[in-house]
Amino acid sequence: MKESVLMLASFEKTADHLFDAAYFGQKDSVCGVSECIIMGIPMNIGTGLFKLLHKAEKDPSPVKRPLLFDNADFHIPLIT
C-alpha cells in the first residue's frame, strides 16, 4: 500500500491522516489520481489528456429573441 498521506485521506479517516502528517512533518509527492483530485490538479490521463482550443467568432450584433414568458397570459394579477 502506498504511503501517500493524501491518498490515505481520500478513503478513510481524513482528519486523522492529515493531522498525523502535519504533526510528523510528512511530505507527499502529488502524483496519483486521488492526490490530484484533492489538490485540484488536472490529470494528464483519460479525458484530461487532451488540451484543445477553439477560437469562436463573436457576432457583434446577436439576434434579439422575445422572452419566453413575456406574455400577459402567464402573469398572475395582484389582488389588493
Side-chain angles (χ1 to χ4, degrees), residues 15-78:
D16 293 342
H17 290 296
L18 295 177
F19 289 140
D20 288 343
Y23 182 77
F24 292 109
Q26 291 180 340
K27 293 183 180 180
D28 194 349
S29 61
V30 180
C31 58
V33 176
S34 296
E35 294 95 330
C36 287
I37 290 171
I38 290 174
M39 297 300 293
I41 301 170
M43 290 294 300
N44 290 328
I45 60 171
T47 56
L49 181 65
F50 301 99
K51 295 183 185 206
L52 301 177
L53 298 176
H54 175 72
K55 184 174 183 178
E57 298 294 328
K58 292 186 179 181
D59 189 12
S61 59
V63 178
K64 295 200 177 205
R65 299 179 184 176
L67 296 175
L68 184 62
F69 293 107
D70 194 20
N71 186 343
D73 296 336
F74 295 116
H75 294 254
I76 300 173
L78 295 175

